[in-house]
Amino acid sequence: MDEVEILRKRVRELENKLLEKQCKTTSIAREKIEHMSSEVVDSNPYSRLMALKRMGIVDNYERIRELTIAIVGVGGVGSVTAEMLTRCGIGKLILFDYDKVEMANMNRLFFQPYQAGQSKVEAAAATLQNINPDVDIETHNYNITTMDHFDNFMNTISTSSLSKGPVDLVLSCVDNFEARMAINTACNELNQRWFESGVSENAVSGHIQFIIPGETACFACAPPLVVAENIDEKTLKRDGVCAASLPTTMGIVAGFLVQNALKYLLNFGDVSYYLGYNAMQDFFPKMTLRPNENCDDRYCRERQQEYAAKPKPQKKVEEIVEEKPLHEDNEWGISLVDEQEQQVTENEHPSLVDVKGCSNIPSHLQTNQISSESGPSLEELMALMKSI
């Protein structure tokens, strides 16, 4: 056997060993994934998620496996949002996007270089399935703003939950006004609650907004100038300039978005109706935006009328009970006095000293014997200082 054959045989042996090692690694990874997928089972004593239930934060955390959330836009905010919800054990995710993964997306926390060229929804679904295979993931690779796809979008969010009904929540993670207005129109028509989110072009500020049709302002109630004036936002693009992107700002906004989605869906804490973030000063403004009666969206106006017609819950009026003394008669004249008030009264002028109480002061210098017209002489004051 010549040296070439020996080398080939050696290479084949090394390749077989490497293949066996890869299969073994894959098997171990699969076992870990299966273990992770049971994370939200109450019987798992080490579950960090179920600890929320045991600590009394959430009444029933397992309910999250019955919920469906639609995420529109799987970019810097949307991809991280999808990953967080997957790790939380959400029942079903529906992903909408039509872009492809580019090398420029590698500054984010989700996509990897080998996924370049794939559609974002396909790349996201593959990654999320490896994180938690128990999550049901549905993908739609199209632009929701076109006429045909808009109808499909409305049909999907109204019929594609785990219960074959409307989704439990829609999360908007898009980066343009046209897509936001499309989501706003669909959710107003379907009376679907949703969260809008965004990051500024300079990547140092962002916000989330919870929109309940008819109860809070929709996206069209107080639109940006570009929407109010019907300006084509494509004309606002500057040549050679692209929007900045920071994984920190994206991650912070995604965290706010998922946290408030969980609070709303699992009914704990207070949901923020509008929460902003300014990275330059670490400033977090909060507010509640009321709907505009003259909103351009007719479905928004209809939802406002429906909400106004609903009976509002009556606030409980607490009955004021007049406090009565424990005992009506007080034979011994005993009364309670606040010690602090008494101490303040006694020390009302702590800088003034009761001269009569000083035993070291000679009797002829006590205040009741000192004339108010003429004070003590110098000799008397010196004698007083020596005697103290």
Side-chain angles (χ1 to χ4, degrees), residues 132-152:
N132 188 349
D134 278 353
V135 178
D136 184 2
I137 299 177
E138 180 180 327
T139 62
H140 295 273
N141 184 22
Y142 57 69
N143 184 354
I144 67 167
T145 63
T146 62
M147 187 63 69
D148 294 338
H149 293 153
F150 179 75
D151 292 336
N152 291 335

Side-chain angles (χ1 to χ4, degrees), residues 341-376:
E341 290 183 2
Q342 186 177 7
Q343 189 174 6
V344 170
T345 304
E346 292 177 353
N347 300 330
E348 189 173 358
H349 303 290
S351 60
L352 301 179
V353 180
D354 186 3
V355 182
K356 291 182 180 179
C358 297
S359 58
N360 295 329
I361 300 178
S363 59
H364 68 281
L365 292 179
Q366 290 185 6
T367 53
N368 59 344
Q369 297 180 9
I370 296 176
S371 171
S372 59
E373 296 180 358
S374 62

Side-chain angles (χ1 to χ4, degrees), residues 277-335:
Y277 170 58
N278 184 328
M280 303 301 281
Q281 290 85 28
D282 281 340
F283 177 56
F284 303 89
K286 288 184 66 176
M287 66 187 77
T288 301
L289 302 175
R290 296 301 176 191
N292 178 7
E293 296 179 356
N294 301 316
C295 179
D296 290 338
D297 192 310
R298 70 182 182 91
Y299 290 108
C300 177
R301 298 194 302 271
E302 289 181 10
R303 299 294 168 253
Q304 291 182 50
Q305 293 173 0
E306 293 172 1
Y307 177 72
K310 287 182 180 179
K312 303 299 184 292
Q314 297 292 329
K315 293 183 179 180
K316 293 183 178 180
V317 179
E318 296 183 0
E319 185 179 353
I320 301 175
V321 180
E322 184 179 355
E323 294 185 2
K324 296 182 179 180
L326 185 61
H327 302 286
E328 292 290 347
D329 54 343
N330 189 2
E331 181 180 355
W332 306 100
I334 299 173
S335 61

Side-chain angles (χ1 to χ4, degrees), residues 127-238:
T127 301
L128 298 174
Q129 282 291 311
N130 287 331
I131 293 173
N132 188 349
D134 278 353
V135 178
D136 184 2
I137 299 177
E138 180 180 327
T139 62
H140 295 273
N141 184 22
Y142 57 69
N143 184 354
I144 67 167
T145 63
T146 62
M147 187 63 69
D148 294 338
H149 293 153
F150 179 75
D151 292 336
N152 291 335
F153 170 67
M154 287 191 60
N155 181 64
T156 300
I157 64 175
S158 60
T159 62
S160 298
S161 69
L162 290 173
S163 60
K164 305 305 179 183
V167 299
D168 297 284
L169 199 61
V170 174
L171 304 182
S172 168
C173 305
V174 297
D175 59 358
N176 61 86
F177 298 123
E178 187 179 11
R180 286 186 176 95
M181 290 298 290
I183 298 169
N184 185 76
T185 301
C187 290
N188 278 338
E189 183 172 349
L190 298 172
N191 201 14
Q192 171 68 56
R193 299 186 176 195
W194 63 293
F195 274 93
E196 191 268 328
S197 67
V199 174
S200 63
E201 191 179 20
N202 60 9
V204 292
S205 63
H207 73 278
I208 65 167
Q209 181 180 349
F210 186 33
I211 299 176
I212 306 175
E215 186 174 344
T216 65
C218 76
F219 189 72
C221 282
L225 180 64
V226 67
V227 177
E229 297 294 332
N230 293 319
I231 300 172
D232 184 359
E233 62 179 304
K234 297 182 180 66
T235 62
L236 303 178
K237 282 283 184 182
R238 290 172 289 175

